[in-house]
């Protein structure tokens, strides 16, 4: 059996890269010993891959801002880029490079999987990209695993019509969040599945991506935007806990008293989360890793797209960890009780079992 996965895999984004890797590993484990091949469809989406450019530039205010930041961080960005590329070579099983036209016309798989991540979000991907909907007639079975439309609210009749058209060929459709919106569009029940990064346990992440132990305890900040606000929450917790502040990812300006790991690749990113004593983040994937690794954490509300972290935390009974400001951390709310962790672990385990079961059922296509 030949199995292909199409998702956001070659972006300069930790969550995108690690969810692609996790889904690949789960499918490989399910088909282990069957002689099946599993590969990530190597689609070069310019909208995503430009994030790996040494200096990002576009003719806009935001583009000029990115270019200035990249020039100022030239050395760590170069190191980060090399680490991402090394991760791709070491950990991905990739198809030959494919253009959109090739995916639409000649992609040939017994089972093809779209997802996870926001591959169906027209607000993020400069419209709906047909490549992420597996339209080739040479694909025998199509399934969606936890694909996401992100913050899209089904307000555009044009995009809605395209979504319905593209998804008519699918055998099974599951989403990561916002199932109700998709149900209203398609007219049948849609199941929600957890992000692929959650399908691997803490122990499995350690086994698959070996990391070095940290020499000192620290609080890790992983923010995608609204940096001043996130760091204000982090400083309050770090002061109370007596922890150093470390940060992962691109932080656009320095914050006093913290160490920035802005040259980290996906492997180093996993290490930072595994070694952290406390995590403060406004990222969905940052929140997911904190819960999966059973770390003390708070998830700061992401102003533009709070629904992803909010939906996930509600499913595991930790919605109280979503905060809007440092003022919400009083009254014993700074730490998660052991009973809360146990409850979250039980709920997450049920989600994992359902997801593994779904994928096993979908991959039971009989060989010719």
């Amino acid at each position: 059996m030949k199995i292909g996965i199409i998702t956001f895999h070659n972006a300069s984004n930790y969550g995108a890269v690690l969810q692609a890797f996790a889904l690949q590993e789960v499918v490989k484990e399910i088909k282990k010993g069957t002689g099946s091949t599993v590969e990530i469809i190597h689609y070069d989406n310019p909208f995503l891959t430009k994030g790996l450019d040494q200096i990002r530039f576009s003719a806009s205010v935001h583009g000029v801002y990115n270019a200035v930041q990249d020039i100022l961080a030239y050395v760590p960005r170069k190191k980060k880029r090399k680490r991402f590329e090394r991760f791709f070579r070491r950990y991905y099983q990739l198809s030959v490079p494919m253009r959109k036209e090739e995916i639409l016309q000649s992609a040939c798989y017994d089972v093809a999987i779209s997802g996870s991540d926001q591959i169906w979000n027209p607000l993020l991907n400069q419209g709906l990209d047909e490549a992420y909907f597996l339209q080739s007639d040479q694909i025998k079975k199509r399934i969606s695993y936890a694909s996401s439309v992100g913050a899209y609210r089904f307000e555009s009749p044009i995009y809605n019509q395209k979504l319905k058209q593209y998804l008519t060929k699918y055998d099974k459709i599951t989403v990561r969040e916002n199932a109700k919106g998709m149900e209203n569009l398609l007219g049948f029940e849609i199941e929600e599945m957890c992000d692929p990064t959650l399908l691997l346990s803490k122990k499995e992440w350690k086994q698959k991506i070996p990391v070095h132990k940290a020499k000192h305890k620290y609080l890790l900040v992983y923010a995608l935007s609204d940096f001043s606000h996130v760091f204000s929450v982090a400083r309050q917790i770090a002061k109370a806990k007596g922890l150093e502040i470390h940060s992962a990812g691109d932080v656009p300006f320095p914050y006093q008293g913290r160490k920035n790991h802005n040259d980290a690749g996906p492997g180093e990113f996993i290490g930072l989360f595994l070694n952290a004593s406390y995590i403060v983040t406004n990222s969905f994937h940052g929140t997911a890793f904190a819960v999966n690794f059973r770390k003390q954490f708070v998830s700061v509300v992401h102003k533009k797209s709070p629904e992803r972290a909010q939906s996930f935390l509600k499913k595991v009974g930790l919605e109280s960890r979503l905060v809007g400001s440092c003022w919400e951390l009083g009254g014993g709310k700074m730490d998660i009780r052991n009973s809360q962790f146990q409850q979250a672990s039980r709920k997450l385990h049920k989600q994992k079992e359902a997801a593994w079961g779904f994928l096993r059922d979908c991959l039971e296509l009989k060989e010719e």
Side-chain angles (χ1 to χ4, degrees):
M1 181 186 294
K2 186 178 181 183
I3 303 165
I5 300 168
I6 190 160
T7 185
F8 291 165
H9 73 283
N10 54 352
S12 179
N13 179 287
Y14 299 111
V17 170
L18 293 168
Q19 65 82 24
F21 167 73
L23 184 56
Q24 170 194 272
E25 294 302 289
V26 170
V27 175
K28 282 169 56 181
E29 180 62 28
I30 291 173
K31 302 305 292 183
K32 187 176 180 180
T34 66
S36 299
T37 61
V38 180
E39 63 185 25
I40 294 174
I41 300 172
H42 194 10
Y43 172 44
D44 184 11
N45 180 342
F47 181 65
L48 293 176
T49 56
K50 69 180 181 181
L52 289 168
D53 291 346
Q54 182 64 51
I55 298 176
R56 297 164 294 174
F57 176 77
S58 61
S60 66
V61 174
H62 185 68
V64 173
Y65 175 80
N66 281 339
V68 172
Q69 291 296 326
D70 292 346
I71 291 170
L72 293 174
Y74 186 87
V75 174
R77 183 166 177 80
K78 184 176 181 180
K79 191 172 184 178
K80 175 184 175 182
R81 180 185 179 186
K82 287 183 177 179
R83 284 174 165 172
F84 266 81
E85 291 171 346
R86 184 166 64 240
F87 186 93
F88 298 160
R89 292 192 301 269
R90 180 175 180 181
Y91 291 106
Y92 280 167
Q93 276 75 54
L94 293 171
S95 73
V96 297
M98 300 180 74
R99 292 176 290 106
K100 181 187 296 189
E101 293 75 16
E102 293 173 310
I103 294 173
L104 295 175
Q105 298 170 12
S106 58
C108 183
Y109 294 97
D110 295 298
V111 180
I113 305 171
S114 59
S116 178
D117 221 326
Q118 299 182 64
I119 58 172
W120 295 346
N121 185 354
L123 308 176
L124 178 71
N125 204 28
Q126 293 185 329
L128 293 174
D129 190 334
E130 294 170 276
Y132 295 108
F133 291 87
L134 302 169
Q135 298 297 289
S136 170
D137 291 332
Q138 298 188 55
I139 295 173
K140 294 180 181 179
K141 187 175 184 179
R142 299 167 184 82
I143 67 170
S144 157
Y145 179 79
S147 302
S148 174
V149 295
Y152 177 57
R153 287 290 171 265
F154 303 95
E155 297 170 343
S156 168
I158 295 174
Y159 288 144
N160 291 350
Q161 184 179 2
K162 287 183 178 179
L163 266 172
K164 290 184 69 172
Q165 175 189 340
Y166 294 155
L167 293 175
T168 54
K169 289 186 175 182
Y170 276 71
D171 296 273
K172 295 284 184 179
I173 298 173
T174 64
V175 295
R176 193 177 64 189
E177 62 267 323
N178 203 0
K180 288 297 181 183
M182 192 66 79
E183 287 176 353
N184 293 336
L185 177 68
L186 299 178
F188 55 84
E189 187 175 348
I190 301 292
E191 191 173 0
E192 290 188 1
M193 290 286 169
C194 60
D195 188 84
T197 60
L198 297 165
L199 300 182
L200 300 178
S201 67
K202 180 179 179 179
K203 181 179 179 181
E204 288 169 327
W205 276 108
K206 284 183 175 180
Q207 291 172 339
K208 292 179 182 297
I209 304 178
V211 299
H212 299 293
K213 286 187 177 181
K215 296 179 180 179
H216 307 286
K217 292 184 177 181
Y218 59 87
L219 178 151
L220 177 67
V221 175
Y222 177 49
L224 301 178
S225 61
D226 205 11
F227 299 98
S228 296
H229 182 50
V230 177
F231 272 94
S232 69
V233 175
R235 282 194 295 270
Q236 178 185 342
I237 297 172
K239 183 178 180 180
K241 298 290 183 182
L243 297 171
E244 297 179 352
I245 295 179
H246 289 217
S247 61
D250 298 325
V251 179
F253 43 87
Y255 288 87
Q256 187 176 3
R258 61 96 174 132
K259 180 178 180 181
N260 186 20
H261 301 267
N262 57 353
D263 59 356
E268 291 76 21
F269 179 86
I270 287 292
L272 287 167
F273 272 79
L274 285 170
N275 287 321
S277 297
Y278 208 110
I279 294 166
V280 177
T281 183
N282 65 355
S283 153
F284 164 77
H285 278 110
T287 303
F289 277 116
V291 173
N292 198 18
F293 293 169
R294 200 163 173 163
K295 298 289 183 178
Q296 292 288 348
F297 79 97
V298 293
S299 182
V300 182
V301 175
H302 192 291
K303 292 182 179 179
K304 290 186 177 180
S305 57
E307 63 286 326
R308 291 185 292 152
Q310 186 176 39
S311 173
F312 167 62
L313 289 173
K314 186 175 182 180
K315 290 174 185 176
V316 295
L318 290 174
E319 55 265 49
S320 64
R321 306 314 298 169
L322 191 67
V323 302
S325 70
C326 57
W327 304 112
E328 298 178 33
L329 294 173
K333 292 183 179 180
M334 195 170 288
D335 289 341
I336 305 170
R337 299 188 306 275
N338 190 52
S339 59
Q340 291 176 294
F341 269 131
Q342 291 174 343
Q343 179 192 47
S345 295
R346 287 194 295 269
K347 290 185 175 183
L348 186 55
H349 181 69
K350 288 183 179 179
Q351 292 179 41
K352 291 180 181 181
E353 283 189 324
W356 277 81
F358 169 79
L359 287 168
R360 285 192 185 99
D361 290 343
C362 289
L363 295 169
E364 285 300 314
L365 184 69
K366 293 182 179 180
E367 303 278 4
E368 293 292 331

